[in-house]
């Protein structure tokens, strides 16, 4: 018996030993079932992720939920950090978070379902599917198609108001939200990619009209239920689902190493573009639906061709530049990678899937703008495609310059803000480009003519792994990044014009901030010598000049407060800032009246013993300064 047992043990050992090299080879090559696309063995995946996130959790990132799937199976599902810092409640697989813009993928999947059924033509003018005169701010006669909406090139400006609220009471119906926050069309359809929340919600409204169901009910019935997504909802008012509300994480802002301030949840009338709530595991089920096994059908579609079409590229700035696949964004992974990121007021998320490997990664964090894990960990597991450097490359200096986002307001005072965060491109060596944006910078290497790949720098720019400069006759027409185009400055907004505008605005602001204190000091000190009294403006002049100065100060204070409010939280209803617009109009009217009265007074009263300039300068200076200030308010449309 002992001899027989020994033979069995030795045989088993030989078999095991023989299988080890094959298993190791499978792991090292990233073979099916063995590794992530970047080559991390699944057997060591949890340890790798644990080690990766420990550098950030509790220091730079408050909490994260990470799920990875391979070949239709969850290979990692784990929470890190806290869902509630104050109550020390950890993130778990049951933690509900906000999807952000990943929600858009449900809209595009819904549209593809209706197209499959013959109820929607992706190339049809969507105006035929909307109520009469629904879109009232179009500038071009060319049709806007569902494909335009999917490719974010319908031409809409970025309307900054009434997109998100901080309380559920302000949420209206989808139709009302679309009417309230309708943007103007500032580009010809198909010409410029400008990421559009409005366009996505408009597509969801079309789904609503075709299906005869509220959009969130359609998604629940045709997407979430078939996929078994029991812990998610396609709506922003999570209070409607108490069982989800109980597990929803609080959102936070980074306030310094190891310090986080609580933010608010996201409530939206145009909820389809970013209002979904749910667990990371549910989102992973959604991802798996786009990667069925060979010979199997996606539970989302009735025909295999529908999924194939959806995952096919529908737009790209250049052949080797990652583009758009019917609403999915391409990513330059080891293999073709598709996905979408998301941000709400206080959450940041990412979803990437690799159909060739049947691999997907879902990362959800309860922190505004988190990038270290959301983008960094994603890049670590999906990898990056091999560089294919060209033999002859154009000089990097050809693309040097400053560019403004195509995704920007075209009207109103918010049109100023994109010019405060312009993209700056400058040479950095023979084939390197330094990209600067909003306080971040990154190094990009030219790998093909005018095609650049990120090689280092701030993790916040990991959302833009590549950029492409479209050059014609030696001039850059557009710089395409992951989700939008950046355009050259127009003559009316060239750098000299912008610098002059900034200098004049700064001069006027400084004057009207200091002038009232100077007047106050003069009044308190009572320096009124006889000769000065004779040269000073008469009493009426002095009162009018003081009134004009205080009016200018009021305009400065009102608009500085307006700017600070928008910078601190740009997710506001227009009704919140409208009173300040009215104040601008009222103070401008008052300033016009005071200037007219001062001019009449100066024309009637002159001192013959002194030159007019010397006699009138105390009144002329504030008139000049307020004229400069008003010109800047008109230039940047601070009246609308």
């Amino acid at each position: 018996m002992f001899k027989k047992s020994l033979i069995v043990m030795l045989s088993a050992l030989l078999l095991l030993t023989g299988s080890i090299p094959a298993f190791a080879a499978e792991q090292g090559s990233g073979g099916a079932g063995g590794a992530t696309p970047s080559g991390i063995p699944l057997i060591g995946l949890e340890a790798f992720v644990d080690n990766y996130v420990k550098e950030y959790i509790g220091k730079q990132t408050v909490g994260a939920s990470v799920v990875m799937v391979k070949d239709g199976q969850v290979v990692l599902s784990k929470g890190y950090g806290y869902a509630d810092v104050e109550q020390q409640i950890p993130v778990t697989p049951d933690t509900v978070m906000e999807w952000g813009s990943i929600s858009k993928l449900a809209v595009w999947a819904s549209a593809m379902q209706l197209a499959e059924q013959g109820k929607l033509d992706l190339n049809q003018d969507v105006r035929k599917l909307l109520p009469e005169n629904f879109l009232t701010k179009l500038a071009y006669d060319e049709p806007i198609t569902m494909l335009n909406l999917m490719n974010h090139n319908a031409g809409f400006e970025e309307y900054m108001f009434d997109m998100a609220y901080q309380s559920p009471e302000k949420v209206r119906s989808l139709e009302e939200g679309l009417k309230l926050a309708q943007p103007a069309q500032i580009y010809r359809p198909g010409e410029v990619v400008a990421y559009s929340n409005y366009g996505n919600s408009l597509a969801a409204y079309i789904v609503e009209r075709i299906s005869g169901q509220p959009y969130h009910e359609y998604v629940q019935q045709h997407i979430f239920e078939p996929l078994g997504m029991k812990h998610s909802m396609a709506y922003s008012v999570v209070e409607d689902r108490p069982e989800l509300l109980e597990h929803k994480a609080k959102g936070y802002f980074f306030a310094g190493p190891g310090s986080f301030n609580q933010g608010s949840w996201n409530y939206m009338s145009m909820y389809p573009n970013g209002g979904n709530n749910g667990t990371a595991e549910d989102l992973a089920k959604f991802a798996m639906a786009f990667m069925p096994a060979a010979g199997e059908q996606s539970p989302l579609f009735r025909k295999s061709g529908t999924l194939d079409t959806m995952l096919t590229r529908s737009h790209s700035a250049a052949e080797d530049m990652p583009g758009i696949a019917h609403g999915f964004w391409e990513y330059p992974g080891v293999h073709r990678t598709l996905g979408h990121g998301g941000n709400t007021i206080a959450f940041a998320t990412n979803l990437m899937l690799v159909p060739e490997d049947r691999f997907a990664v879902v990362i959800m964090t309860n922190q505004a703008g988190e990038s270290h894990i959301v983008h960094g960990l994603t890049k670590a597991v999906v990898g990056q495609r091999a560089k294919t450097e060209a033999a002859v490359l154009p000089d990097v200096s050809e693309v040097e310059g400053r560019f403004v986002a195509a995704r920007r307001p075209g009207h109103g005072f918010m049109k100023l803000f994109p010019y405060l965060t312009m993209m700056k491109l400058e040479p950095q060596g023979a084939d390197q480009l330094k990209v600067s944006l909003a306080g971040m910078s990154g190094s990009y290497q030219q790998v093909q003519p005018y095609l650049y790949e990120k090689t280092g720098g701030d993790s916040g720019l990991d959302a833009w792994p590549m950029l492409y400069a479209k050059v014609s006759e030696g001039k850059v027409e557009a710089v395409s990044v992951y989700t939008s185009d950046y355009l050259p400055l127009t003559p009316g907004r060239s750098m000299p014009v912008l610098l002059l505008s900034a200098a004049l605005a700064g001069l006027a602001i400084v004057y009207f901030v200091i002038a009232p204190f100077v007047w106050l000091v003069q009044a308190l000190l009572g320096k009124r010598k006889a000769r000065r009294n004779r040269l000073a403006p008469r009493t009426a002049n002095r009162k009018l000049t003081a009134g004009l100065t205080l009016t200018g100060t009021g305009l400065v204070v009102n608009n500085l407060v307006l700017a600070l409010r928008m910078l601190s939280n740009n997710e506001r209803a227009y009704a919140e800032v409208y009173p300040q617009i009215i104040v601008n109009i009222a103070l401008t009217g008052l300033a016009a009246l005071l200037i007219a009265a001062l001019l009449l007074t100066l024309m009637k009263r002159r001192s013959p013993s002194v030159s007019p300039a010397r006699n009138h300068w105390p009144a002329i200076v504030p008139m000049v300064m307020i004229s400069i200030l008003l010109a800047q308010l008109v230039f940047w449309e601070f009246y609308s």
Side-chain angles (χ1 to χ4, degrees), residues 266-437:
N266 194 61
Y267 299 97
M268 312 173 73
S269 300
M270 292 192 292
Y271 63 89
N273 70 70
N276 291 10
N277 286 264
T279 64
E281 287 190 352
D282 265 10
L283 190 49
K285 293 177 181 178
F286 180 73
M288 285 189 282
F290 295 96
M291 303 182 297
E296 293 186 4
Q297 182 64 37
S298 168
L300 291 177
F301 307 113
R302 300 172 184 174
K303 304 174 184 177
S304 59
T306 306
L307 177 60
D308 294 339
T309 299
M310 186 171 189
L311 300 186
T312 300
R313 175 181 289 185
S314 55
H315 176 83
S316 180
E319 182 179 353
D320 291 311
M321 174 68 185
I324 309 170
H326 297 84
F328 279 96
W329 295 95
E330 294 180 321
Y331 181 86
V334 173
H335 305 296
R336 183 168 184 258
T337 303
L338 302 166
H340 212 294
N343 286 279
T344 61
I345 296 174
F347 290 79
T349 58
N350 204 6
L351 163 66
M352 289 287 171
L353 53 92
V354 186
E356 182 178 331
D357 266 9
R358 297 190 65 215
F359 176 89
V361 53
V362 173
I363 300 175
M364 308 181 84
T365 69
N366 54 331
Q367 180 177 316
E370 204 284 335
S371 62
H372 298 291
I373 297 176
V374 164
H375 297 299
L377 179 57
T378 298
K379 183 167 67 173
V381 296
V382 303
Q384 290 183 287
R385 70 186 184 190
K387 293 183 176 66
T388 55
E389 297 186 16
V392 180
L393 297 172
D395 196 298
V396 177
S397 62
E398 286 190 39
V399 301
E400 182 177 10
R402 286 180 170 84
F403 303 86
V404 66
R407 181 191 180 186
R408 68 177 186 267
H411 304 86
F413 72 91
M414 288 300 292
K415 69 187 298 181
L416 167 64
F417 284 77
Y419 291 93
L420 302 177
T421 56
M422 289 188 293
M423 174 195 285
K424 182 180 180 182
L425 304 182
E426 52 189 328
Q428 191 180 50
D431 60 352
Q432 292 282 330
L433 194 65
K434 181 181 179 182
V435 178
S436 303
L437 178 78

Side-chain angles (χ1 to χ4, degrees), residues 44-62:
L45 182 59
E46 182 175 1
F48 175 86
V49 175
D50 288 350
N51 186 61
Y52 186 96
V53 303
K54 74 178 182 182
E55 182 178 348
Y56 305 108
I57 291 294
K59 304 168 188 174
Q60 302 289 324
T61 306
V62 62

Side-chain angles (χ1 to χ4, degrees), residues 93-295:
D94 294 327
T95 300
V96 172
M97 295 194 189
E98 296 173 357
W99 288 25
S101 288
I102 297 176
S103 306
K104 291 179 172 67
L105 295 178
V107 177
W108 308 133
S110 301
M112 293 302 296
Q113 288 178 337
L114 295 176
E116 180 183 65
Q117 298 166 31
K119 298 178 180 179
L120 172 65
D121 182 349
L122 300 183
N123 293 298
Q124 180 183 8
D125 191 340
V126 298
R127 284 175 288 190
K128 297 179 180 178
L129 304 172
L130 297 169
E132 189 174 357
N133 297 321
F134 188 84
L135 297 176
T136 61
K137 299 181 180 181
L138 299 182
Y140 299 94
D141 293 329
E142 285 85 345
I144 297 173
T145 67
M146 182 61 71
L147 268 178
N148 288 139
L149 300 180
M150 288 176 162
N151 295 334
H152 295 272
N153 60 6
F156 294 126
E157 68 172 332
E158 177 79 347
Y159 187 79
M160 301 292 290
F161 300 102
D162 294 290
M163 184 60 63
Y165 308 111
Q166 298 183 33
S167 64
E169 290 77 19
K170 295 182 179 180
V171 174
R172 309 182 186 199
S173 70
L174 175 57
E175 181 177 355
E176 289 175 312
L178 287 166
K179 290 180 178 179
L180 181 65
Q182 185 178 156
Q185 188 184 41
I186 59 176
Y187 308 110
R188 195 178 299 277
E191 289 190 353
V192 175
V193 174
Y195 188 88
S196 177
N197 286 308
Y198 185 88
N200 178 265
S201 289
L202 184 65
Y205 180 56
I206 292 170
V207 170
E208 215 173 67
R209 288 180 59 80
I210 293 175
S211 67
Q213 293 179 274
Y215 168 76
H216 62 90
E217 291 183 9
Y218 177 92
V219 172
Q220 187 67 37
Q221 179 180 344
H222 297 278
I223 296 179
F224 287 2
E225 288 179 4
L227 299 182
M229 297 169 63
K230 299 179 180 180
H231 308 290
S232 295
M233 62 185 298
Y235 198 54
S236 64
V237 184
V238 74
E239 286 82 353
D240 289 352
R241 294 275 298 275
E243 76 279 13
L244 299 186
L245 179 64
E246 181 183 356
H247 296 285
K248 184 169 180 177
K250 291 182 178 179
Y252 294 88
F253 296 97
F254 178 70
S259 179
F260 308 96
N261 295 331
Q262 186 175 337
S264 64
W265 287 344
N266 194 61
Y267 299 97
M268 312 173 73
S269 300
M270 292 192 292
Y271 63 89
N273 70 70
N276 291 10
N277 286 264
T279 64
E281 287 190 352
D282 265 10
L283 190 49
K285 293 177 181 178
F286 180 73
M288 285 189 282
F290 295 96
M291 303 182 297

